[in-house]
Amino acid sequence: MDYERLRAFRNERNPFPRRLGIYVEELRPGYARAVKTVTEEDLNPIQVTHGGVYYTLADTACGSVMAAYGTMAVTINSAFSFLKSAQAGERLTAEARELPGGRSVCVLEVRVTGGEGELFATGTFTFRRLDKLIAF
């Protein structure tokens, strides 16, 4: 598997995260890292980053881990905790790691951190691996 080519494909062909400015920096079996710099458009009415931004960043990182299998996958469940609020201009990083276990149902842990390593959100995502190959 050409993981660099797959990473580029995911960055080019994933319109919702791309619209939010989310970029997959690293992708390999069992691990992915996605990043985003918070903009003014990402803020909610109380001027902190909207929870959907953290969640989409985390889901994108986890989905990228699943893509490393070369097959499509879908999120089927998640538990996500928001711990701290980011401000515009802060760079967020989501690091996702697959837990040992399932073959068609896979569980991943993800941490969303800031530039100083502070923890903004954490979660557990469950994915179902599909029998459809990713064509890139």
Side-chain angles (χ1 to χ4, degrees):
M1 169 75 64
D2 184 343
Y3 297 108
E4 183 57 30
R5 188 168 159 229
L6 177 59
R7 185 189 67 78
F9 175 80
R10 289 195 52 81
N11 283 326
E12 294 165 9
R13 302 289 298 244
N14 205 351
F16 184 63
R18 191 177 67 223
R19 180 167 39 137
L20 292 179
I22 294 171
Y23 176 77
V24 179
E25 276 191 335
E26 186 177 346
L27 170 62
R28 63 178 189 259
Y31 175 84
R33 182 178 64 244
V35 297
K36 181 203 178 10
T37 299
V38 177
T39 67
E40 293 289 330
E41 291 80 24
D42 297 321
L43 303 182
N44 64 21
I46 62 170
Q47 298 304 298
V48 295
T49 304
H50 190 284
V53 172
Y54 302 103
Y55 187 90
T56 302
L57 178 61
D59 190 49
T60 300
C62 290
S64 296
V65 172
M66 294 303 300
Y69 284 107
T71 58
M72 295 184 183
V74 294
T75 309
I76 58 174
N77 192 28
S78 65
F80 201 69
S81 297
F82 304 94
L83 305 172
K84 185 177 177 182
S85 298
Q87 304 297 316
E90 290 191 70
R91 185 174 193 263
L92 299 175
T93 300
E95 291 186 279
R97 289 176 173 80
E98 184 177 5
L99 299 176
R103 185 173 167 167
S104 61
V105 175
C106 302
V107 178
L108 301 102
E109 290 182 337
V110 63
R111 294 170 51 88
V112 178
T113 58
E116 303 294 318
E118 62 275 32
L119 186 61
F120 284 92
T122 186
T124 303
F125 284 70
T126 305
F127 277 75
R128 174 168 300 284
R129 194 165 29 171
L130 306 175
D131 291 330
K132 186 173 182 181
L133 293 176
I134 298 172
F136 62 98

